[in-house]
Amino acid sequence: MNPNDILQNLKKELSENEYENYISTLKYNEKQSKADLLIFNAPNELIAKFIQTKYANKISHFYEVQSGIKATINIQAQSQKHTRSTIKIDIANIKAQSTILNPSFTFESFVVGDSNKYAYGTCKAVSHKDKLGKLYNPIFIYGSTGLGKTHLLQAVGNASLEMGKKVIYATSENFVNEFTSNLKNGSLDKFHDKYRNCDVLLIDDVQFLGKTDKIQEEFFFIFNEIKNNNGQIIMTSDNPPNMLKGITERLKSRFAHGIIADITPPQLDTKIAIIRKKCEFNDINLSNDIINYIATSLGDNIREIEGIIISLNAYANIVGQEITLELAKSVMKDHIKEKKENISIEDILALVCKEFNIKPSDVKSNNKKQNVVIARRVAIYLARELTSLTFSQLANFFVMKDHTAISHSVKKIKELIEENNETKIKIEELKNKILAKSQI
């Protein structure tokens, strides 16, 4: 069948604005596509990434239903050239979109670990007919970008839809834009009816609600009315309620009058499990070596990790090559290089010293105490792995005799990693912390 027909089917699922601004801009790339790999070209990289993240799974689902073939969807930028003004317009349009639930964001597809099990358990607990709106209400989930807050939020939404509940999922920017638009058009009654009569209200990135007193007052009344009607309210943010800037005290009080759950960066084992789950969902086969390389080379942003996995698979399909560790390193080299440019050797030293409870001056001295020697070697190894500095530059920084001393330290840590799994895990966790810090 013609994949362009699949795009037409999305008209029934999306608003006219979403379809015209994004889906209608796609062009099927018949030359590069295969039966199980559909490639569409978007006007620019920003639009391509947005459509890949938000609509690729839905396009794949429609195609499988119509053709019986489970295909990978790859949205590529037709041209990398775009002006500064075009980018601004695109970002504004993306933020203004009324959001829809992603069908792949379910509790079953969420990987649970120590870093997120409280937030997961809380959301899972309310996702039953007799608990929704009554057990924990509101629920406030906070944490850094890309750790799974939106996934949990929409998992509750998808479970609620299956119960026949009326669900509204929106970012705070979307709420603000919608309110502003209805205020200008004199149609606030329509806005009130939509929000106040829902069974489940899901608000993403509530920290951006703090723009005007009028908007916060509107949200305050909507919040109270939904809660008084036993409607479930769940919000996400980058910080807990008491640390939200620009939000009124009475709203902070409402946000905190329920369950507050944080999601922290995943441990290495959880991150590996997440990568396996993403591979399974996207029907991508990666060896343990490749999965471990991705887990230890990237930070904690799960969306970023999934994007790398999909890009790696698409590249392998296009060039007709098996996914090997060498291929993974080649595809990821620019991405990792960019990260290295953001990593400071001073940050590496500071983190290692904190972990080993020693002073930076001890690491740069001739101190022969065992814990200092190990810390020095770990810092040198991580600096070699995570920065572009030469052996000579490292020797100068760590006040060592010459590059051979650096080489010796790196060799010793590599031997420890091969011999001791605990050492390997510890160093990989340190590497993840440094990578995560470089993204801030």
Side-chain angles (χ1 to χ4, degrees):
M1 68 175 302
N2 186 351
N4 285 316
D5 294 338
I6 300 298
L7 301 183
Q8 289 291 323
N9 288 336
L10 284 176
K11 273 189 174 181
K12 304 173 185 177
E13 299 286 325
L14 308 178
S15 68
E16 182 180 350
N17 195 29
E18 283 181 292
Y19 182 85
E20 291 300 324
N21 281 336
Y22 301 105
I23 303 303
S24 67
T25 67
L26 293 179
K27 294 182 180 179
Y28 177 55
N29 191 327
E30 185 176 1
K31 187 176 181 181
Q32 293 186 340
S33 297
K34 300 178 181 179
D36 60 350
L37 172 66
L38 303 184
I39 297 175
F40 295 89
N41 291 123
N44 59 53
E45 188 176 1
L46 184 65
I47 296 294
K49 286 183 177 180
F50 178 70
I51 296 175
Q52 182 74 55
T53 301
K54 192 170 181 181
Y55 302 112
N57 290 331
K58 190 173 285 289
I59 295 172
S60 178
H61 172 72
F62 276 124
Y63 184 75
E64 186 176 1
V65 169
Q66 296 293 327
S67 68
I69 301 172
K70 187 172 183 179
T72 298
I73 307 299
N74 189 18
I75 313 297
Q76 299 180 348
Q78 189 167 11
S79 171
Q80 299 299 322
K81 297 179 180 179
H82 43 254
T83 65
R84 189 182 300 267
S85 60
T86 301
I87 295 176
K88 287 183 178 179
I89 292 171
D90 288 336
I91 292 174
N93 282 337
I94 288 172
K95 287 185 176 180
Q97 293 311 300
S98 55
T99 46
I100 57 176
L101 293 177
N102 186 330
S104 68
F105 284 167
T106 64
F107 290 113
E108 291 72 26
S109 64
F110 189 85
V111 177
V112 184
D114 290 339
S115 61
N116 58 34
K117 63 182 179 182
Y118 181 55
Y120 170 86
T122 302
C123 289
K124 182 73 172 173
V126 302
S127 298
H128 301 279
K129 277 188 176 180
D130 58 335
K131 304 293 184 183
L132 198 67
K134 300 173 184 177
L135 183 61
Y136 307 128
N137 199 20
I139 297 173
F140 192 99
I141 305 171
Y142 72 93
S144 300
T145 300
L147 298 182
K149 301 189 300 296
T150 298
H151 190 140
L152 279 182
L153 201 65
Q154 295 204 21
V156 176
N158 282 315
S160 301
L161 285 176
E162 291 181 4
M163 301 179 213
K165 301 294 183 180
K166 182 180 178 182
V167 178
I168 292 179
Y169 165 76
T171 64
S172 59
E173 292 99 330
N174 176 242
F175 179 89
V176 170
N177 289 334
E178 196 172 350
F179 172 80
T180 303
S181 176
N182 280 277
L183 181 64
K184 288 180 179 178
N185 296 331
S187 54
L188 277 180
D189 288 344
K190 179 181 177 182
F191 177 81
H192 294 155
D193 289 342
K194 173 184 174 179
Y195 278 91
R196 295 185 182 185
N197 294 322
C198 70
D199 300 307
V200 182
L201 177 63
L202 309 171
I203 300 292
D204 227 342
D205 292 326
V206 75
Q207 71 270 18
F208 296 124
L209 193 65
K211 293 192 175 183
T212 69
D213 291 340
K214 191 171 184 63
I215 290 172
Q216 290 195 42
E217 182 181 14
E218 183 66 39
F219 189 77
F220 177 82
F221 289 125
I222 288 173
F223 183 101
N224 286 341
E225 190 158 344
I226 292 174
K227 195 170 186 303
N228 290 338
N229 291 333
N230 292 320
Q232 181 69 54
I233 302 171
I234 307 180
M235 297 162 286
T236 71
S237 175
D238 58 353
N239 281 305
N242 64 327
M243 292 180 64
L244 295 179
K245 296 180 180 180
I247 301 295
T248 61
E249 289 302 319
R250 66 175 183 173
L251 269 181
K252 288 182 184 180
S253 176
R254 292 296 189 279
F255 295 168
H257 194 66
I259 294 292
I260 301 174
D262 69 327
I263 297 182
T264 57
Q267 298 294 324
L268 183 63
D269 57 344
T270 302
K271 190 152 70 161
I272 288 174
I274 290 171
I275 294 173
R276 293 190 191 283
K277 178 71 76 171
K278 295 296 183 183
C279 287
E280 179 185 340
F281 180 80
N282 290 291
D283 197 23
I284 298 172
N285 184 29
L286 298 180
S287 69
N288 289 335
D289 285 345
I290 297 172
I291 290 173
N292 290 337
Y293 178 74
I294 293 172
T296 56
S297 297
L298 299 179
D300 301 312
N301 191 313
I302 306 306
R303 283 194 293 270
E304 181 182 39
I305 289 174
E306 184 172 23
I308 288 291
I309 294 170
I310 292 172
S311 296
L312 182 60
N313 188 58
Y315 182 87
N317 284 327
I318 290 170
V319 301
Q321 183 178 341
E322 180 185 356
I323 302 177
T324 62
L325 181 58
E326 290 69 29
L327 177 62
K329 289 181 177 180
S330 176
V331 171
M332 293 171 60
K333 64 182 180 182
D334 289 338
H335 187 82
I336 294 174
K337 180 182 178 183
E338 181 181 339
K339 286 189 174 296
K340 284 185 176 182
E341 291 172 352
N342 294 329
I343 294 174
S344 160
I345 190 170
E346 287 81 8
D347 288 340
I348 294 174
L349 179 60
L351 181 62
V352 171
C353 287
K354 182 180 179 181
E355 292 289 327
F356 284 86
N357 195 27
I358 60 177
K359 298 177 182 178
S361 57
D362 289 334
V363 173
K364 292 185 175 186
S365 71
N366 290 322
N367 193 319
K368 301 297 183 183
K369 289 182 180 179
Q370 186 178 13
N371 66 322
V372 175
V373 171
I374 293 175
R376 184 184 298 123
R377 288 174 176 173
V378 169
I380 290 171
Y381 173 81
L382 290 172
R384 179 61 181 167
E385 287 283 304
L386 299 175
T387 72
S388 302
L389 297 177
T390 65
F391 276 16
S392 296
Q393 289 171 323
L394 291 175
N396 183 57
F397 179 82
F398 287 101
V399 194
M400 302 188 78
K401 187 177 180 181
D402 54 32
H403 69 279
T404 58
I406 297 294
S407 178
H408 177 74
S409 294
V410 171
K411 181 182 178 183
K412 285 294 183 182
I413 291 298
K414 284 184 176 179
E415 289 174 355
L416 272 176
I417 289 173
E418 292 176 2
E419 296 169 1
N420 191 312
N421 195 50
E422 287 186 11
T423 300
K424 178 181 178 180
I425 292 173
K426 181 65 177 176
I427 289 177
E428 286 174 341
E429 287 178 346
L430 283 172
K431 186 188 290 187
N432 284 335
K433 288 180 180 180
I434 294 165
L435 286 167
K437 182 176 174 60
S438 72
Q439 295 175 6
I440 299 175

